[in-house]
Amino acid sequence: SSSSSSSSSSSSSSSSSSSSSSSSSSAPPALARISPAAATVKVSSHSLTLTVSLTAASGAALSSATTGPVTVTVLFLDGTAYAGTDYAGSNTTVTIPAGSSSASLAVPVLYSSSQVAKSMTVRLAAPVSSRSSGWDVGVDPANHRSDVTIQDDITATLPSSDVLAATLRLSGESAASLSAP
């Protein structure tokens, strides 16, 4: 008697759907840029708003939204305008949220009693974090800086006695504290 043992070997074809993709090799290139490239701000406006945005490496709009945030380092470089005297800014980061392609950066402008226009530069440095964004982000070498001119439109329009009184008020002193020798 022959016993035929048919052993049915069912091959379990478990298809593993865990596809690991390396962010650096499969992520399309994108560039962080700042605009405008040159800006003039009046002291009376108290602030300047710059835009940090992402574009495809070709300069076109991104073909798809970012899937995670992109954080870009922003440097403030004194020219004839000085941080703490003419503007309130220090090196910082700007985060472009997931699903977006831009973020705003406000640069507060301070009053100083100088009547001359002053300049400073806001520059982008390498992105701090873009790993989860779905894009391989770098800094656009052609649009990585904004040259800012700060114009004093307050002092130039006031008589000198009003400038002195305004300066004293801003510094917390009263005009009565002045006495002639």
Side-chain angles (χ1 to χ4, degrees):
S1 91
S2 99
S3 78
S4 76
S5 128
S6 80
S7 134
S8 143
S9 70
S10 65
S11 72
S12 62
S13 62
S14 71
S15 65
S16 165
S17 64
S18 70
S19 64
S20 68
S21 63
S22 161
S23 151
S24 61
S25 65
S26 63
L31 296 174
R33 55 178 52 192
I34 192 165
S35 61
T40 298
V41 60
K42 295 181 178 187
V43 171
S44 63
S45 68
H46 305 290
S47 182
L48 169 68
T49 300
L50 300 172
T51 302
V52 177
S53 60
L54 298 176
T55 63
S58 65
L62 296 179
S63 58
S64 63
T66 58
T67 55
V70 174
T71 302
V72 181
T73 300
V74 179
L75 306 175
F76 290 86
L77 307 171
D78 288 348
T80 55
Y82 296 102
T85 301
D86 301 300
Y87 67 95
S90 61
N91 298 344
T92 188
T93 58
V94 171
T95 299
I96 299 171
S100 182
S101 62
S102 66
S104 295
L105 170 68
V107 182
V109 177
L110 305 175
Y111 174 77
S112 70
S113 60
S114 171
Q115 293 183 354
V116 296
K118 296 185 176 185
S119 63
M120 50 93 66
T121 300
V122 181
R123 186 170 64 89
L124 300 182
V128 173
S129 170
S130 65
R131 186 171 276 166
S132 66
S133 72
W135 293 87
D136 182 15
V137 180
V139 173
D140 185 342
N143 298 291
H144 72 286
R145 64 186 282 161
S146 182
D147 296 316
V148 177
T149 300
I150 301 171
Q151 288 185 335
D152 180 358
D153 63 330
I154 296 175
T155 306
T157 61
L158 297 174
S160 60
S161 60
D162 290 343
V163 171
L164 176 59
T167 303
L168 289 171
R169 276 193 299 265
L170 288 172
S171 66
E173 297 181 38
S174 71
S177 66
L178 290 179
S179 61

